[in-house]
Amino acid sequence: MDSRWKKSAQFPVISSTASQYLPMRSYHDIFNISTEFSPATFTLVGIPGLEAEHRWVSIPFCVMYTIIFLGNGTILHVIRTDPALHQPMYFFLAMLAFVELSVSTSTMPTVLGIFLFGINDISFGGCLLQMFSMHSFTLMESGVLLAMSVDRFLAIYSPLRYTAILTVPRIAGICCFIAVRSLLLMLPLVILLKCLPFCGHNSLTLSYCLHSDLIKLPCGDTRPNSILGLFVITFTFGPDILLIVVSYILILHTVLRIASGAGRKKALNTCVSHIFAVLVYYVPMVSLSLVHRFGRHLPRFLQTSMANVYLFFPPVVNPIVYSIKTKEIRHSIVRTLSKRRGEV
């Protein structure tokens, strides 16, 4: 072999004595190779254990999406077109329907893509956008439920001044505040997550991008994300739940002061649909939060199922309940269908 090649191929020899004073360096450190990167895509999963049956699993999801869009879309349509429904209660109901449609729309592409076409990948930016949209609309839904509870209290406590207090400009201001609050609280979480380094781990455990799932992947310090996420939950859902409970305590106090039994029953009947909406929203959400915090030993099938219930159950059930329990909505739907048949 050429002596010049031998010379160039020789490596410096470090004595055992000198090596005691040199810091240990990995292969990646020596050659300045970084393992930190932002992944091009994230890998989503369907329902663990049922991968071979995803085509069949897609059927109930397609049915749910059909109910979500038909049910909430119908409520939005009848409230927009029927002048008799241009009242504060129905304006808030329209916003609830819009938010639930938005939550479903933000997650529908990835969920159906997995079950129908086997598309498990979502881009890094698309995942962050989905997380931002889904959580923002979820926060908005909590705010709308609080506004609806205050609306029910005012309608029962001061029925004569009800429409004078909740004017259209005030309702619009309340809705804008709810939307801005949600967007501003979620934006820092996205920025913090985008700045974190990833080390090759890009597999999620759900069919959509959830913040509590995403912060398990970075190899950097995720404590700011966890603290800010806890702050968002504590200072949105916490006060919202507390104020909803206070509203219903005041409602019960007011109802008990009504002299006639028929009047008490009528007043409480106006709250039944909203109480049900509150329960179907908060019970799955609290259950899923507890599972993420303390139930990591539970089967992934159960965790995934609870995550889907949390996301899809309220938008499916609420329009059905409001259509059945709210006489004005029911009559307006019947009038709209009758008018369509007459045109045909």
Side-chain angles (χ1 to χ4, degrees):
M1 183 181 293
D2 190 350
S3 60
R4 288 176 300 174
W5 168 250
K6 290 181 180 179
K7 185 177 180 179
S8 64
Q10 289 176 353
F11 290 91
V13 178
I14 302 174
S15 66
S16 59
T17 305
S19 65
Q20 297 175 4
Y21 302 98
L22 292 177
M24 294 297 294
R25 303 179 68 193
S26 67
Y27 174 88
H28 295 280
D29 292 331
I30 293 173
F31 291 96
N32 196 27
I33 299 175
S34 176
T35 59
E36 299 178 357
F37 70 101
S38 292
T41 61
F42 285 109
T43 302
L44 303 170
V45 299
I47 298 180
L50 295 179
E51 288 82 2
E53 310 296 333
H54 275 175
R55 289 294 178 90
W56 293 105
V57 173
S58 68
I59 295 176
F61 278 90
C62 289
V63 172
M64 283 192 295
Y65 279 128
T66 302
I67 295 173
I68 288 170
F69 284 101
L70 285 180
N72 290 286
T74 299
I75 286 179
L76 284 171
H77 176 72
V78 297
I79 292 175
R80 183 180 65 86
T81 57
D82 192 343
L85 299 180
H86 293 175
Q87 300 178 33
M89 171 185 175
Y90 303 111
F91 289 145
F92 287 124
L93 178 58
M95 187 174 182
L96 180 66
F98 170 76
V99 168
E100 291 183 336
L101 273 174
S102 301
V103 171
S104 302
T105 303
S106 65
T107 54
M108 177 181 66
T110 57
V111 176
L112 289 186
I114 292 171
F115 292 140
L116 289 176
F117 308 109
I119 302 174
N120 292 80
D121 292 335
I122 181 173
S123 67
F124 181 72
C127 191
L128 293 183
L129 178 61
Q130 184 182 64
M131 184 201 79
F132 175 74
S133 302
M134 187 194 67
H135 284 297
S136 295
F137 286 119
T138 302
L139 292 176
M140 290 182 202
E141 187 169 356
S142 178
V144 172
L145 290 173
L146 171 59
M148 294 175 78
S149 68
V150 175
D151 166 80
R152 289 299 82 210
F153 167 69
L154 291 174
I156 294 172
Y157 179 76
S158 185
L160 298 179
R161 300 181 61 241
Y162 169 57
T163 54
I165 296 173
L166 288 177
T167 60
V168 173
R170 285 179 180 168
I171 293 172
I174 292 170
C175 294
C176 288
F177 171 77
I178 291 170
V180 170
R181 180 191 75 161
S182 303
L183 295 174
L184 290 180
L185 285 173
M186 278 306 303
L187 189 59
L189 287 174
V190 177
I191 295 173
L192 285 175
L193 195 58
K194 187 173 177 60
C195 294
L196 284 172
F198 290 77
C199 301
H201 306 290
N202 65 339
S203 296
L204 299 173
T205 60
L206 298 173
S207 306
Y208 50 88
C209 298
L210 197 68
H211 180 258
S212 58
D213 201 15
L214 277 170
I215 60 172
K216 299 175 184 176
L217 301 182
C219 53
D221 185 9
T222 60
R223 283 177 296 179
N225 295 71
S226 300
I227 293 171
L228 184 57
L230 183 61
F231 171 83
V232 171
I233 292 174
T234 304
F235 289 93
T236 53
F237 296 126
D240 288 353
I241 294 173
L242 178 62
L243 292 174
I244 288 172
V245 172
V246 170
S247 298
Y248 272 98
I249 291 173
L250 295 174
I251 287 171
L252 287 175
H253 178 70
T254 305
V255 167
L256 292 176
R257 293 168 59 185
I258 298 175
S260 65
R264 289 196 294 268
K265 183 178 179 181
K266 182 179 179 181
L268 289 175
N269 278 338
T270 64
C271 302
V272 171
S273 298
H274 179 256
I275 292 173
F276 191 83
V278 170
L279 292 176
V280 299
Y281 174 77
Y282 282 110
V283 171
M285 183 193 71
V286 172
S287 301
L288 183 62
S289 299
L290 292 174
V291 167
H292 273 282
R293 297 291 178 183
F294 308 109
R296 296 182 181 180
H297 62 283
L298 295 175
R300 284 186 60 193
F301 173 83
L302 180 60
Q303 298 182 39
T304 306
S305 300
M306 290 186 66
N308 288 326
V309 168
Y310 154 72
L311 196 62
F312 303 125
F313 188 59
V316 168
V317 173
N318 283 338
I320 296 174
V321 171
Y322 272 99
S323 300
I324 294 174
K325 294 296 295 181
T326 307
K327 181 176 64 176
E328 292 79 7
I329 294 287
R330 187 170 65 250
H331 289 174
S332 182
I333 293 174
V334 171
R335 286 195 299 269
T336 301
L337 293 176
S338 301
K339 187 184 297 184
R340 291 289 176 87
R341 289 178 182 175
E343 292 175 355
V344 174

